[in-house]
Amino acid sequence: MTVFGGIESGGTKWECAVGTGPDDERSATTIPTTTPEETIGRVVDFFLREGPVDALGIGSFGPIDARIGSPTWGYVTTTPKPGWSNTDVGQEIRRRLGVPVAFDTDVNAAALGEHRWGAGRGLRSLWYVTVGTGIGGGAIVDGRLLHGLSHPEFGHLRVPHDRDADPFDGSCPYHGDCLEGLASGTALEARWGTPASALEDAAAWALEARYLALGFVAVVAVLSPQRIVVGGGVGRSPGLLPLVRRELSALMNGYLGFELPDDYLTPPALGGRSGVLGAIALAESAD
Amino acid sequence: MTVFGGIESGGTKWECAVGTGPDDERSATTIPTTTPEETIGRVVDFFLREGPVDALGIGSFGPIDARIGSPTWGYVTTTPKPGWSNTDVGQEIRRRLGVPVAFDTDVNAAALGEHRWGAGRGLRSLWYVTVGTGIGGGAIVDGRLLHGLSHPEFGHLRVPHDRDADPFDGSCPYHGDCLEGLASGTALEARWGTPASALEDAAAWALEARYLALGFVAVVAVLSPQRIVVGGGVGRSPGLLPLVRRELSALMNGYLGFELPDDYLTPPALGGRSGVLGAIALAESAD
């Protein structure tokens, strides 16, 4: 029987698992993100020890090169994370494990995981967003992962920023006050001096909900998904989704001619496992 | 042999054609938009006279209800256009012509037309945007029209609006300063007191290019299409696309890790016929 490996690689940790799905996770581990050499070495060791696996899926932090046939396919590209810019991940792991590897964004993997086994089961289209250290999005359209010129880079769209109400310049090194620069965990901590997990000011959360809703208006306006799954450490903060839901409805202002369903914004059914399980699903299409 | 009818219905005129594609347009007419009764009556007469057609495609101004199975499928819904709110178009025409009808947005029809016969041939994904009286967008993903919860409503996403530089409140009756409210032909004429076709002020066009580029950043961030086709009376203004291209590149700021292709923004290859020809292509899937 075929057994897959899944990796959700993040800026702080890499989740690795061996199995075929949420009811068949045979082995799993979490490896802290240090240098590329050390991190990838420990990941390879895990799969050599717990495997063999027949194929591997990687859902990676980004931006990445996932263009099949590109010489830098499998690379993490222009990430601001120190030491990781232009780093070969996919080709290196493929060479060292000697198995087919599928390489995509962490959020595309999570979208696939939620579509296969979670909050998106049976839906034709789905948007998965993570709001954590950064902000990213991935999509299922007609039951398949969305790919185009590249992959979505949801965090970097621009939203209205009222500098009188919110004089914070934004935390994105590329764009300043893009959505990620205003509403990521990094932005919250820089603006308020408190990590999101300890932030209790209602006005701070109202502003956060406003920015996320402005981002979701763009998702509805461009992609019109059947559901939006909101994950990530900040995205799963208690009480946040109802605030965002209200703002989103106010911003749409009845224009669609029907109300968005009550569960239009929903937490991931797989909790923090959407990404690594989605990476296992991704492995099915590895070549 | 099968013959199709195509309708691009707009707020000022309806384009109707009989044929199978751009090299086989057997008959065509333009009917001014007056009341629903009169307009639909003249359209039905055209197809009765020039047909029979085996199936009909309609690409309609919106917003519309294109949800198969909905009791108001085929309706123009919450349009601000006087007399047309909640108007049955698709069911009425289907009943009076007695043929299968496919009903979608005008921009989805145009996206399909450009993908089949125009600037999107051979591409996996494509975004078509019209900038005219209003602003709308439609998409091809994996070779098929994008549908989800509803259809894209591109004009109504929010973009940064610097009221010091541009004190204009925006012209959208639903949202004020959404993209359509700031950058449509209606907005241009309201802001500058001059129709777009007569607008020569370089600063006005620089502002227009900025808003459109901000909208396209959202398209790239959410959908990542392989190409964006820019149609519509304002969208096809001479010299506009290079300005938008430059702004878009500046806004992305190298984040993708590669430059957007030079022809990433391109005019429709079918000119003003993308919509009605796309409606003919749409008719193939009518039922």
Side-chain angles (χ1 to χ4, degrees):
Chain A
M1 191 189 155
T2 308
V3 180
F4 298 114
I7 300 172
E8 182 188 16
S9 74
T12 56
K13 59 188 168 61
W14 291 38
E15 299 286 354
C16 304
V18 173
T20 60
D23 299 328
D24 176 38
E25 272 200 66
R26 304 181 191 181
S27 180
T29 193
T30 303
I31 290 166
T33 310
T34 57
T35 64
E37 295 70 27
E38 184 180 37
T39 311
I40 291 173
R42 291 186 62 187
V43 166
V44 167
D45 287 347
F46 167 78
F47 286 106
L48 289 175
R49 192 172 65 240
E50 303 294 328
V53 295
D54 297 292
L56 190 81
I58 304 175
S60 174
F61 70 107
I64 63 169
D65 186 349
R67 296 171 296 172
I68 306 290
S70 163
T72 52
W73 172 90
Y75 278 52
V76 172
T77 59
T78 51
T79 177
K81 184 166 177 68
W84 284 85
S85 179
N86 296 309
T87 295
D88 174 16
V89 172
Q91 295 186 37
E92 174 78 7
I93 291 177
R94 181 170 65 185
R95 194 173 60 247
R96 288 170 67 176
L97 289 179
V99 297
V101 169
F103 187 74
D104 212 320
T105 62
D106 46 5
V107 278
N108 264 352
L112 187 62
E114 287 293 324
H115 185 252
R116 180 73 61 87
W117 295 300
R121 266 180 298 185
L123 296 181
R124 197 170 56 180
S125 66
L126 176 75
W127 181 255
Y128 180 93
V129 58
T130 181
V131 186
T133 311
I135 293 181
I140 298 285
V141 173
D142 279 333
R144 299 174 56 188
L145 278 175
L146 173 72
H147 291 109
L149 179 74
S150 174
H151 47 78
E153 280 295 352
F154 180 54
H156 300 278
L157 62 78
R158 306 305 204 283
V159 293
H161 175 198
D162 179 348
R163 284 177 185 270
D164 293 334
D166 174 26
F168 178 61
D169 282 336
S171 63
C172 175
Y174 282 88
H175 310 118
D177 64 349
C178 59
L179 180 62
E180 177 168 304
L182 291 172
S184 64
T186 307
L188 288 176
E189 182 156 4
R191 183 194 287 108
W192 305 108
T194 308
S197 56
L199 190 61
E200 291 185 0
D201 180 6
W205 286 108
L207 186 67
E208 177 71 5
R210 173 83 182 169
Y211 287 134
L212 293 178
L214 283 162
F216 294 166
V217 167
V219 173
V220 172
V222 173
L223 196 74
S224 186
Q226 288 176 293
R227 187 168 292 163
I228 296 178
V229 180
V230 186
V234 177
R236 289 189 285 151
S237 301
L240 177 59
L241 283 198
L243 292 180
V244 182
R245 176 72 180 69
R246 204 175 315 147
E247 281 286 340
L248 178 58
S249 187
L251 284 163
M252 298 306 296
N253 195 22
Y255 187 75
L256 293 177
F258 57 91
E259 272 302 308
L260 295 169
D262 284 340
D263 60 352
Y264 192 66
L265 305 179
T266 188
L270 303 174
R273 303 297 285 167
S274 319
V276 68
L277 288 167
I280 282 176
L282 207 55
E284 294 175 18
S285 63
D287 59 17
Chain B
M1 190 189 156
T2 308
V3 179
F4 298 113
I7 300 172
E8 182 189 16
S9 73
T12 56
K13 60 188 168 61
W14 291 38
E15 300 286 354
C16 305
V18 173
T20 60
D23 299 328
D24 176 37
E25 272 200 66
R26 305 182 192 181
S27 180
T29 193
T30 304
I31 290 166
T33 311
T34 56
T35 63
E37 295 70 27
E38 184 181 35
T39 311
I40 292 172
R42 291 187 60 186
V43 166
V44 167
D45 287 346
F46 167 78
F47 286 106
L48 289 175
R49 192 173 62 242
E50 302 294 327
V53 296
D54 298 293
L56 190 82
I58 304 175
S60 174
F61 71 108
I64 63 169
D65 185 349
R67 295 172 297 172
I68 307 289
S70 162
T72 52
W73 172 89
Y75 277 53
V76 172
T77 59
T78 51
T79 177
K81 184 165 177 68
W84 284 85
S85 179
N86 296 309
T87 294
D88 174 15
V89 172
Q91 295 186 36
E92 174 77 5
I93 291 177
R94 182 171 65 186
R95 192 175 63 250
R96 288 172 65 177
L97 290 179
V99 297
V101 169
F103 187 75
D104 212 320
T105 62
D106 46 5
V107 278
N108 264 350
L112 187 62
E114 288 292 324
H115 184 253
R116 179 75 61 87
W117 296 299
R121 266 180 297 185
L123 296 181
R124 197 170 55 182
S125 66
L126 176 74
W127 180 257
Y128 180 94
V129 57
T130 182
V131 186
T133 310
I135 293 181
I140 297 285
V141 173
D142 279 334
R144 299 173 55 186
L145 277 175
L146 174 71
H147 291 108
L149 179 73
S150 174
H151 47 80
E153 280 297 352
F154 180 54
H156 300 278
L157 61 77
R158 305 306 204 282
V159 292
H161 175 197
D162 178 348
R163 285 177 184 270
D164 294 332
D166 174 25
F168 179 61
D169 282 336
S171 63
C172 175
Y174 282 88
H175 311 118
D177 63 350
C178 59
L179 181 62
E180 177 169 302
L182 291 172
S184 64
T186 307
L188 288 176
E189 184 157 1
R191 184 194 286 108
W192 304 108
T194 308
S197 56
L199 190 61
E200 291 185 0
D201 179 6
W205 286 109
L207 187 68
E208 177 71 4
R210 173 84 181 169
Y211 287 134
L212 293 179
L214 284 162
F216 295 165
V217 167
V219 173
V220 172
V222 173
L223 196 74
S224 186
Q226 289 176 290
R227 187 168 292 164
I228 297 177
V229 179
V230 187
V234 177
R236 289 188 285 151
S237 300
L240 178 60
L241 283 197
L243 292 179
V244 181
R245 176 73 180 68
R246 204 175 315 147
E247 282 287 340
L248 178 58
S249 187
L251 284 164
M252 298 308 295
N253 195 24
Y255 187 75
L256 292 177
F258 58 91
E259 271 302 307
L260 295 169
D262 284 338
D263 60 352
Y264 192 65
L265 305 180
T266 188
L270 303 175
R273 304 295 286 167
S274 319
V276 68
L277 287 167
I280 282 178
L282 207 56
E284 294 174 19
S285 63
D287 60 20

